[in-house]
Amino acid sequence: MLIDGDEIYVRSGNYHGFLQDYRIYVKGADTEGSRIWIELSREGVFLEDAIVGEGGTFVYSNNSTEIFNLTVDTIYAGTDGVLVRFSPVYQYLNPRLPMPQNPETPPANSSENNSSVSPVPEHQVKGFDMPLFLLSIGVVFLVTGFFAERYKKK
């Protein structure tokens, strides 16, 4: 089992990527926002689609082997489309395909991250050294103060 009861959110017109290169697209919704059109593809090749309402289930099998089982938990309708919450979501290994290389990647802030390099905050430019910058500003103020004092004495 690759995904065991997780929940995912997909906005209409977008997709969610799964292991083994599967993608589930939310193609659209009816005018009331009570049913959605979803499509499953793999590597850009259409596999199956369905129209599913809240509480409905989308199941995809390949040669009598169940690969996906997704339940449409909630459809949030808005002015710019819908947001769909699928829960629970199950993905089973397709034995006819290669094994996924990285089934799960731990989050960057995970305690399992043993990297000795500290991550760069997302608001900081890569290669920019903040402590060195602050030290340089301090030196500029110190030198400016020194010359200002000498200028005052004359």
Side-chain angles (χ1 to χ4, degrees):
M1 183 173 288
L2 299 176
I3 298 177
D4 186 12
D6 290 355
E7 69 179 35
I8 62 168
Y9 292 84
V10 184
R11 187 173 300 282
S12 57
N14 292 322
Y15 67 88
H16 179 82
F18 291 94
L19 296 171
Q20 296 188 304
D21 296 320
Y22 287 101
R23 288 183 176 178
I24 190 84
Y25 291 85
V26 175
K27 303 292 274 188
D30 64 357
T31 54
E32 295 84 34
S34 61
R35 296 184 307 161
I36 57 166
W37 174 25
I38 56 177
E39 176 184 292
L40 180 68
S41 67
R42 182 175 181 278
E43 294 182 336
V45 177
F46 170 84
L47 297 173
E48 190 170 321
D49 68 346
I51 295 175
V52 185
E54 281 189 5
T57 303
F58 174 80
V59 177
Y60 172 72
S61 297
N62 185 355
N63 295 328
S64 72
T65 301
E66 187 173 302
I67 305 297
F68 279 97
N69 187 324
L70 299 95
T71 300
V72 177
D73 182 66
T74 311
I75 301 172
Y76 303 98
T79 56
D80 59 344
V82 296
L83 176 66
V84 182
R85 177 179 183 246
F86 294 94
S87 180
V89 175
Y90 298 97
Q91 180 186 3
Y92 303 93
L93 178 70
N94 186 338
R96 298 175 187 268
L97 298 174
M99 286 289 289
Q101 295 300 323
N102 294 324
E104 281 190 38
T105 304
N109 62 355
S110 170
S111 60
E112 297 174 20
N113 185 0
N114 295 327
S115 175
S116 61
V117 178
S118 62
V120 175
E122 61 185 63
H123 61 275
Q124 183 175 327
V125 176
K126 187 174 182 177
F128 181 78
D129 189 3
M130 183 62 91
L132 183 60
F133 173 74
L134 294 175
L135 181 62
S136 300
I137 293 294
V139 169
V140 167
F141 284 133
L142 184 64
V143 169
T144 303
F146 175 75
F147 283 110
E149 187 65 33
R150 287 187 76 191
Y151 181 73
K152 272 182 162 180
K153 288 182 180 178
K154 289 185 178 185

